[in-house]
Amino acid sequence: MSVSAIQAFMLKLFSIIFSALLSLGAISVQSPAADAPVKPQSDEVEMSFVAWADPQVSNYLFSRYATFVSAAEDIQNEESSFDALVMAGDIAENGLAEEYKLIYDGISGLDCKYIMASGNHDLRMRGYSQSTSRFFEFANALNTDDNYDIDSLSYSKEVNGIKFIVLGSDRTEFEEAYLSDVQLAWLKAELEAEKDSGKPVFVINHQCLKDMHGLPDTWNSPIDSAGSVGDQSDKLKEILSPYGNAFFITGHLHTGIGKYTYERIGEAHSINLPSLCINNKDGDYNEAGIGFFVEVYADRVLFRARNYAKGEWLPEYDINIPLA
């Protein structure tokens, strides 16, 4: 992944400051336990993936970067085994090239596919064209297989015969997303093509639907649409609702694992991921460093909760969902 001379200098400066803070004990990077690697419970698994949201890695918020380093080390464990790494947006705090470089250095080289969704933090600090070009460069540098290159924030890819549909805002918005009618029609066609397959379809979008996952209270707002997709929420809900094997995976809320994690959208399923690198709230388990590991079986999808920063499974928060 290329960076300019100025950005390379900023990365070097970050490295020096980060190293100094480490030596002074001002921040702490803990290596995760290595005896419970990231891999499926059973050989009968058909496909598996790491599911993260909201790393929001920054070149000046050092504690977030420390958490990311620990989580990245966990999935880089030589005994770990999975088919994809999925990030549901807000990958970089300010969409800076040097932030993406820090993330790239932590997760590149894995023997898996990379399914990257954009979030509002990835887009909002500069023009849409510049933000999207930078995001494409980051995502395409991760995937060494040209078949997984992207040139749009909305795209679909298959991993081991399982479809991932990624949504992305069609223009710059500060907190919400804008999903055009063209994108929504494309989503409906993608879902319709899979309706008789008997397989799960994973729809990845940064923001969740309104009035779900504790909204608007989990966004600390009295406005119904706050914290959600926004104006297209009702249209998106209508499209997703009929598909019993559709799994809508989101982030954005920084809500811990608990009662707000899983809900139904009609026949479909909605899973809101916690923030990877920021302390979460409103859940039963709110530590930073958490996410899910998803295992697809012939008859079910298992969402296994994990503290990636510590290398620990959290089985009391697992979600086992039968396929329709």
Side-chain angles (χ1 to χ4, degrees):
M1 183 180 177
S2 62
V3 293
S4 69
I6 294 174
Q7 290 158 345
F9 171 77
M10 293 300 294
L11 277 169
K12 183 66 174 178
L13 181 61
F14 173 87
S15 179
I16 293 170
I17 296 172
F18 187 74
S19 297
L21 290 172
L22 279 175
S23 65
L24 293 170
I27 58 174
S28 175
V29 175
Q30 302 290 333
S31 288
D35 56 350
V38 181
K39 61 181 182 181
Q41 285 183 332
S42 169
D43 291 339
E44 295 179 358
V45 68
E46 297 185 353
M47 192 272 292
S48 62
F49 63 93
V50 171
W52 287 353
D54 300 83
Q56 291 184 223
V57 169
S58 165
N59 60 344
Y60 60 89
L61 297 169
F62 296 101
S63 63
R64 292 186 191 178
Y65 182 64
T67 300
F68 174 76
V69 169
S70 297
E73 183 179 341
D74 189 36
I75 63 173
Q76 292 278 7
N77 184 330
E78 63 181 15
E79 293 188 35
S80 293
S81 176
F82 49 90
D83 299 300
L85 169 58
V86 176
M87 286 198 193
D90 276 7
I91 295 170
E93 172 66 14
N94 293 302
L96 296 173
E98 52 264 39
E99 292 172 341
Y100 286 126
K101 183 64 165 59
L102 293 170
I103 300 157
Y104 174 86
D105 287 346
I107 62 174
S108 61
L110 293 165
D111 184 21
C112 73
K113 307 303 182 187
Y114 296 84
I115 306 294
M116 300 288 109
S118 57
N120 54 299
H121 276 262
D122 300 308
L123 304 178
R124 71 186 187 184
M125 298 304 291
R126 53 196 51 79
Y128 187 76
S129 177
Q130 182 182 6
S131 295
T132 54
S133 294
R134 186 169 288 171
F135 190 86
F136 301 152
E137 180 183 1
F138 161 72
N140 293 340
L142 287 169
N143 279 306
T144 55
D145 184 345
D146 292 344
N147 292 324
Y148 287 83
D149 279 359
I150 60 172
D151 58 8
S152 171
L153 297 182
S154 54
Y155 62 93
S156 68
K157 301 292 181 184
E158 286 193 3
V159 180
N160 285 9
I162 303 297
K163 179 173 281 189
F164 289 83
I165 304 171
V166 177
L167 307 182
S169 184
D170 288 310
R171 68 187 185 205
T172 301
E173 297 284 350
F174 192 74
E175 293 289 0
E176 299 177 342
Y178 173 72
L179 306 180
S180 67
D181 288 342
V182 171
Q183 183 174 173
L184 291 172
W186 166 80
L187 168 63
K188 186 173 183 178
E190 289 281 324
L191 288 169
E192 192 68 14
E194 296 294 315
K195 71 175 183 178
D196 297 324
S197 72
K199 298 179 180 180
V201 180
F202 297 100
V203 182
I204 316 299
N205 188 67
H206 182 57
Q207 297 92 344
C208 65
L209 299 176
K210 70 180 183 181
D211 297 321
M212 295 192 68
H213 303 291
L215 286 176
D217 292 344
T218 47
W219 201 251
N220 296 318
S221 174
I223 302 171
D224 282 349
S225 62
S228 75
V229 169
D231 291 342
Q232 290 78 45
S233 184
D234 289 341
K235 290 182 179 179
L236 182 55
K237 181 178 182 180
E238 182 179 352
I239 291 169
L240 292 167
S241 293
Y243 299 97
N245 287 336
F247 293 78
F248 188 51
I249 298 179
T250 61
H252 192 53
L253 303 184
H254 302 181
T255 300
I257 300 172
K259 64 180 180 179
Y260 296 126
T261 300
Y262 171 72
E263 294 185 36
R264 296 296 295 266
I265 310 173
E267 297 299 314
H269 310 274
S270 184
I271 299 91
N272 185 253
L273 302 176
S275 169
L276 180 69
C277 295
I278 303 172
N279 285 328
N280 292 283
K281 56 184 175 54
D282 299 321
D284 298 319
Y285 192 97
N286 294 316
E287 290 187 23
I290 57 177
F292 281 89
F293 184 68
V294 185
E295 302 177 16
V296 176
Y297 294 92
D299 60 348
R300 62 192 173 100
V301 177
L302 174 61
F303 285 76
R304 297 175 66 196
R306 184 173 178 88
N307 188 321
Y308 286 92
K310 293 182 176 179
E312 296 175 353
W313 295 109
L314 307 170
E316 62 270 37
Y317 301 111
D318 289 355
I319 305 168
N320 196 33
I321 303 171
L323 289 171

